[in-house]
Amino acid sequence: MELKTDIFDLFDSRWALLTAGTAEDFNNMTISWGGLGTLWSKPVATIYIRTVRHTHKYLDSNEYFTLSFFPAQYRKTLAMLGSKSGRDIDKMHMEGLTPKAVGETVGYEEAELTLVCRRLFRQQIDPTKVPVRIAENFYDGDYPHDMYIGEVVEILS
Ligand SMILES: Cc1cc2nc3c(=O)[nH]c(=O)nc-3n(C[C@H](O)[C@H](O)[C@H](O)COP(=O)(O)O)c2cc1C
């Protein structure tokens, strides 16, 4: 497995589409916070998902998830999937996106890079352990983030 990329650019600038669930029942959402690294001697991806997200439920009830990265022309689609909830729209049938089974979970024909991840860990970020200047910005009355760490088991590009 090999990945050559600018990790800061990959999440913060390009954004990722997080997908969890099975081909029969999945949900997705856009994320821009995340990281790649090493833990327990495994290649891992770390993501931060507020507990209120519909996708949160799918992450907890499925062992696998994918992080998909798309060419620039999908920016509008990603912005939409990052502003509307799967509780209100059908994210399994989006115009312009072709879901495909990837192992036990789901990726997309249009993605130029897909990281297939197997959940290893979840923990809620405790706002009292975060510098006040950050907590005031991100946790003042808002739902907390759960941090998920997944082993990157496959890279499709
Ligand atoms: C560019 C962008 C980045 C985002 N990054 C995150 C993130 O890292 N974590 C998070 O919890 N929500 C993030 N969101 C918000 C979710 O994508 C958004 O609330 C989405 O509608 C949730 O969908 P769901 O309820 O179907 O899961 C981001 C939104 C956008 C547009």
Side-chain angles (χ1 to χ4, degrees):
M1 252 181 6
E2 193 183 27
L3 177 65
K4 289 202 172 93
T5 187
D6 174 347
I7 185 61
F8 296 110
D9 180 66
L10 191 64
F11 280 94
D12 191 32
S13 308
R14 283 186 59 186
W15 308 343
L17 188 62
L18 161 68
T19 304
T22 62
E24 293 73 39
D25 183 22
F26 68 88
N27 199 61
N28 60 35
M29 60 177 265
T30 302
I31 63 167
S32 60
W33 290 6
L36 299 176
T38 308
L39 183 65
W40 301 310
S41 302
K42 296 176 189 300
V44 295
T46 305
I47 55 174
Y48 306 91
I49 307 302
R50 287 197 198 267
T51 53
V52 67
R53 308 299 186 221
H54 192 49
T55 312
H56 186 273
K57 190 181 83 179
Y58 285 80
L59 278 172
D60 280 353
S61 52
N62 292 277
E63 196 178 359
Y64 289 86
F65 62 88
T66 55
L67 297 173
S68 303
F69 299 87
F70 293 87
Q73 70 259 33
Y74 289 88
R75 186 85 171 178
K76 267 195 178 162
T77 305
L78 290 178
M80 197 274 290
L81 293 169
S83 61
K84 295 200 183 328
S85 176
R87 291 188 194 93
D88 305 317
I89 61 165
D90 179 3
K91 290 187 170 179
M92 295 211 304
H93 302 95
M94 299 302 304
E95 201 175 313
L97 281 190
T98 316
K100 61 173 184 183
V102 171
E104 293 183 28
T105 187
V106 175
Y108 303 89
E109 298 287 355
E110 295 80 8
E112 55 187 9
L113 170 67
T114 304
L115 306 181
V116 185
C117 303
R118 183 180 192 181
R119 181 163 44 81
L120 291 174
F121 182 76
R122 185 199 80 181
Q123 189 165 51
Q124 196 161 105
I125 289 187
D126 178 352
T128 67
K129 306 261 168 56
V130 171
V132 172
R133 66 181 188 283
I134 304 234
E136 280 175 353
N137 246 341
F138 292 100
Y139 300 113
D140 191 12
D142 217 332
Y143 289 88
H145 284 101
D146 273 350
M147 175 177 72
Y148 290 87
I149 300 177
E151 177 182 358
V152 180
V153 293
E154 203 176 350
I155 296 176
L156 309 170
S157 55

